[in-house]
Amino acid sequence: MAERLPVPPAVDRGCIRLSYLIGVVSIHAIALFAFCPALFRVSSVIATFAGLYVFGTLGINLCYHRLLTHRGFRCSRTLEHFLALLGICCFQDTPAHWVAVHRMHHQHSDESDDPHSPLVSFLWSHMGWLWLENRDFRRVAILERYVKDLLRDRFYLRLERPTWLAAIHVSQWAIFFLLGAGISWMSGRRPDETIMAGVSMLVWGVFVRTVLVWHITWSVNSITHLWGSRRYETGEGSRNNWLVGIISNGEGWHNNHHAQPRAASHGHYWYELDVTFLTIRLLSRLGLVWEIVLPDLPLAGSLATAASS
């Protein structure tokens, strides 16, 4: 069993990041309205699961992680910016801050300075690390150190302004409400039913989807550093977890990823389903992405000497 870690030394246990704590609690609370029978609509549920792919897979997995953090492929600036906007809609902070924290994780994975190692505790790695002030997260310092390359693009620099984020979130709320209301109105429903349909689409299509994307993303931080198999000896606790691999559309092949971080494919064999990489391949065939970094499969012979702890 790996040695337990203390909370990172830069964390101030007595200082809560209220904006993060209130945001996480509030969005979970709003998502619970999905259990209200009056807000159940088949179209809203479909929008939720479609959103897991559109916002979670395209926005977080493909853009924030494999493109912006690791530069596993290239695409046009227009497509990159569009995908980044999808990622912002997942309420996982700005692209620059997300990338900076993830690069920090790779630099210090499962060490004392890792921002979210489960060797502190499962709850800490899953969500607790978001709620306490961390001096290493001070915006100017972390951005200057980890994402100078990203901030050369004025688009990402502008997104560091809270007003831009607020405008994006309000816009997505309005779009989902109007989508649900529009479907109801075109079906000839009464005005009160139309409004409820809009609320239903907002609750399911934004808030339920956001909670699901959160826990899928957080599971990569927590579960795949605790449970699963190890193909490569990577010097930290990353694991390939088939369950997380499936629900995250490929992010759960985490030991593969830590062995070769730049590779756009996290699944290294045919049975390691990686929907995110299949999407990258499709975009490549459409001429929308290029210079895809592929895994160096001869490394597959370097089996981990210690399989699981």
Side-chain angles (χ1 to χ4, degrees):
M1 183 72 179
E3 183 179 351
R4 295 294 296 271
L5 290 174
V7 170
V11 170
D12 184 348
R13 292 172 176 265
C15 189
I16 296 175
R17 302 167 82 192
L18 282 176
S19 60
Y20 282 78
L21 180 59
I22 292 172
V24 169
V25 171
S26 299
I27 289 176
H28 276 82
I30 295 171
L32 291 176
F33 282 100
F35 290 103
C36 177
L39 293 180
F40 180 82
R41 303 284 191 287
V42 173
S43 58
S44 300
V45 177
I46 292 173
T48 300
F49 286 96
L52 291 179
Y53 176 79
V54 172
F55 298 97
T57 298
L58 298 182
I60 299 299
N61 298 0
L62 191 147
C63 182
Y64 272 27
H65 192 196
R66 305 194 195 190
L67 175 59
L68 299 183
T69 303
H70 297 294
R71 294 299 178 185
F73 62 93
R74 292 185 60 195
C75 66
S76 70
R77 194 61 60 87
T78 300
L79 178 59
E80 178 182 310
H81 291 173
F82 172 72
L83 294 171
L85 291 174
L86 296 180
I88 289 171
C89 291
C90 296
F91 292 90
Q92 294 191 28
D93 218 311
T94 64
H97 192 266
W98 197 101
V99 169
V101 171
H102 192 70
R103 287 177 177 175
M104 181 189 296
H105 164 66
H106 273 271
Q107 182 180 9
H108 303 290
S109 187
D110 289 332
E111 299 173 352
S112 61
D113 289 327
D114 186 338
H116 46 63
S117 173
L119 296 183
V120 177
S121 74
F122 176 85
L123 182 61
W124 172 261
S125 65
H126 197 71
M127 63 174 73
W129 67 278
L130 293 165
W131 300 342
L132 292 180
E133 193 65 47
N134 186 327
R135 292 188 300 276
D136 287 340
F137 290 176
R138 288 173 180 166
R139 220 150 187 104
V140 173
I142 193 174
L143 298 183
E144 176 70 19
R145 182 174 182 183
Y146 288 100
V147 289
K148 281 184 178 180
D149 57 325
L150 210 61
L151 295 181
R152 293 191 190 103
D153 186 335
R154 293 183 180 179
F155 173 78
Y156 296 110
L157 200 56
R158 284 195 295 268
L159 290 177
E160 291 302 307
R161 301 172 186 169
T163 51
W164 280 83
L165 292 185
I168 292 167
H169 291 311
V170 170
S171 296
Q172 73 157 327
W173 296 342
I175 289 169
F176 274 88
F177 176 83
L178 292 173
L179 175 63
I183 292 172
S184 179
W185 177 75
M186 287 188 294
S187 301
R189 304 294 184 183
R190 300 193 312 267
D192 59 324
E193 293 177 328
T194 296
I195 292 173
M196 287 300 291
V199 174
S200 169
M201 185 65 75
L202 177 62
V203 169
W204 281 90
V206 175
F207 294 99
V208 173
R209 176 257 300 169
T210 294
V211 169
L212 292 176
V213 171
W214 275 350
H215 285 283
I216 289 169
T217 302
W218 297 342
S219 293
V220 178
N221 295 341
S222 56
I223 293 174
T224 63
H225 275 263
L226 288 174
W227 299 293
S229 62
R230 286 172 59 77
R231 173 175 291 121
Y232 305 103
E233 183 51 62
T234 53
E236 35 63 52
S238 61
R239 283 160 166 73
N240 293 330
N241 184 287
W242 67 268
L243 177 60
V244 180
I246 292 171
I247 65 173
S248 68
N249 284 340
E251 296 292 293
W253 312 116
H254 203 55
N255 179 244
N256 294 349
H257 170 56
H258 269 265
Q260 301 180 61
R262 283 205 65 213
S265 175
H266 291 188
H268 286 186
Y269 291 95
W270 65 267
Y271 53 83
E272 294 172 341
L273 180 63
D274 187 349
V275 173
T276 304
F277 181 66
L278 292 177
T279 303
I280 294 171
R281 286 181 59 186
L282 174 61
L283 293 174
S284 175
R285 290 181 179 179
L286 295 173
L288 297 174
V289 308
W290 53 89
E291 294 185 21
I292 300 172
V293 179
L294 298 176
D296 182 12
L297 288 183
L299 278 176
S302 305
L303 296 176
T305 54
S308 60
S309 55

